[in-house]
Amino acid sequence: MAGPRNKAVMGLSLLVLLTACGKERPTEPLSPRVYVQQVSTREFAPPIQLSGDIQARVETQLSFRVGGKIIERKVDVGDHIQANQVLARLDPKDLKIQVETAQASVNAQQAQVVQTRAAFIRQQKLLPKGYTSQSEYDAANAARLSAQSALTAAQAQLANAREQLSYSQLQAEAPGVITARQAEVGQVVQATMPIFTLARDGARDAVFNVYESLFIEPPKDPTVQVTLLSDPTIKVKGQIREITPTVAAQSGTLQIKVQLDALPKGMDLGSIVSVNLTPAPSRSIELPWSALTKDISEPAVWIADEHS
């Protein structure tokens, strides 16, 4: 049984506890700090960094001028070739038969020309003596002229057959580098079907693709600096020479071609390069990202009332 002293101690402790609880007050929530910015329009031209590659100014699709089966391929992608170098060959068997047929036709027509010429000469000698008629003389002359015309046509066909035979060899018209191969040995190809893509020696361009929304107007200064992506210390100046007027259907981009001066060492055909472009400035409003929000499905922005 607790004595009077113990009851007094317990009563005092309860009083101290109640007193302490009475001093606690609810803490007020912290108010966020809001920055207010005066909105105004100004000229703004965001820089655009593009990446592209070095391409030849002139690229040519090389193809056979006749159809046939490829029996030999002498070059591959990356090879540097010279003008008039043979790149591939077709099976010439059918073309050789055409040449032999045309040659036989020429031989036959040559014999016909000799025969008709001899007959005409006889008529020419007999006519003044009255041993032949004028109609026989005219017929001999017509036969001679017809045989000569037929010989000329046969010779033209022979020349064409020989030319077709020469087309069984695919030759380069200019020096350059093979950048693509579209056919292999054993494949039957049609005339004009691309076999190789040739990047001709000479001028080089840096080619970039850019979305139309980022490049509405071309820069006022066409001079730019092209940098090798793998080594930023390698740079070369160039001039924007062409901007495609239409948007590519597949990529939705415009193509920009930059004409380059002599390429520095280390920057070759196919190298990946970058360029910084600054389009023409436009009147814009610049807002901090924290002021932007979304109202259901539409973009929105916080506006502070000046009277609040």
Side-chain angles (χ1 to χ4, degrees):
M1 182 174 180
R5 181 178 180 85
N6 292 336
K7 291 181 179 180
V9 173
M10 291 176 63
L12 182 59
S13 300
L14 183 59
L15 180 61
V16 172
L17 181 61
L18 292 175
T19 303
C21 292
K23 292 182 180 181
E24 290 184 359
R25 297 176 181 177
T27 58
E28 296 180 359
L30 296 177
S31 299
R33 181 173 295 180
V34 178
Y35 296 93
V36 180
Q37 174 181 320
Q38 188 71 30
V39 176
S40 61
T41 60
R42 64 185 182 90
E43 296 290 336
F44 180 68
I48 302 174
Q49 185 176 23
L50 306 175
S51 60
D53 61 340
I54 303 297
Q55 298 182 11
R57 177 76 55 83
V58 179
E59 281 194 352
T60 306
Q61 299 292 331
L62 303 180
S63 59
F64 288 103
R65 299 175 68 174
V66 294
K69 180 180 179 181
I70 301 176
I71 61 173
E72 185 178 11
R73 176 175 58 81
K74 296 188 174 183
V75 296
D76 205 345
V77 176
D79 292 347
H80 188 276
I81 63 173
Q82 302 299 324
N84 301 320
Q85 180 178 340
V86 177
L87 310 180
R89 292 194 310 115
L90 295 176
D91 187 353
K93 181 169 57 179
D94 293 340
L95 297 174
K96 285 182 178 179
I97 292 175
Q98 294 178 9
V99 172
E100 293 171 356
T101 302
Q103 183 65 62
S105 178
V106 168
N107 295 339
Q109 292 300 326
Q110 285 176 341
Q112 186 69 19
V113 166
V114 172
Q115 183 180 359
T116 55
R117 183 183 294 126
F120 173 72
I121 293 174
R122 286 194 301 270
Q123 292 293 324
Q124 212 172 20
K125 292 178 180 180
L126 295 174
L127 184 62
K129 299 178 182 180
Y131 296 145
T132 186
S133 64
Q134 183 67 39
S135 61
E136 291 178 346
Y137 171 84
D138 293 341
N141 187 34
R144 177 183 65 87
L145 296 177
S146 177
Q148 185 62 48
S149 298
L151 175 60
T152 302
Q155 290 172 339
Q157 291 179 357
L158 175 60
N160 181 69
R162 287 173 175 170
E163 187 176 14
Q164 295 291 312
L165 179 59
S166 69
Y167 293 156
S168 64
Q169 292 186 341
L170 178 59
Q171 294 182 336
E173 297 180 355
V177 178
I178 299 296
T179 59
R181 182 186 72 250
Q182 290 89 5
E184 283 293 348
V185 174
Q187 184 175 346
V188 177
V189 297
Q190 300 295 326
T192 71
M193 173 182 171
I195 306 301
F196 298 104
T197 301
L198 175 66
R200 294 194 178 190
D201 289 346
R204 295 288 186 259
D205 288 337
V207 181
F208 305 92
N209 293 319
V210 58
Y211 287 104
E212 184 183 19
S213 59
L214 299 178
F215 200 71
I216 299 177
E217 296 182 6
K220 296 181 179 179
D221 186 5
T223 303
V224 295
Q225 185 169 258
V226 178
T227 304
L228 185 64
L229 198 62
S230 60
D231 188 355
T233 61
I234 300 178
K235 303 177 181 180
V236 63
K237 288 186 177 181
Q239 298 281 330
I240 298 177
R241 72 171 185 87
E242 181 182 327
I243 300 176
T244 54
T246 58
V247 178
Q250 295 181 346
S251 61
T253 59
L254 298 172
Q255 193 173 74
I256 301 175
K257 295 183 179 181
V258 178
Q259 176 182 345
L260 302 177
D261 299 333
L263 295 182
K265 185 177 180 181
M267 187 180 292
D268 303 312
L269 185 69
S271 297
I272 306 300
V273 293
S274 64
V275 66
N276 291 324
L277 299 178
T278 303
S282 59
R283 302 294 295 178
S284 306
I285 297 176
E286 186 176 359
L287 298 174
W289 68 267
S290 57
L292 302 177
T293 182
K294 188 175 183 180
D295 184 10
I296 305 178
S297 61
E298 300 296 329
V301 62
W302 287 102
I303 299 177
D305 188 355
E306 60 182 357
H307 299 292
S308 59

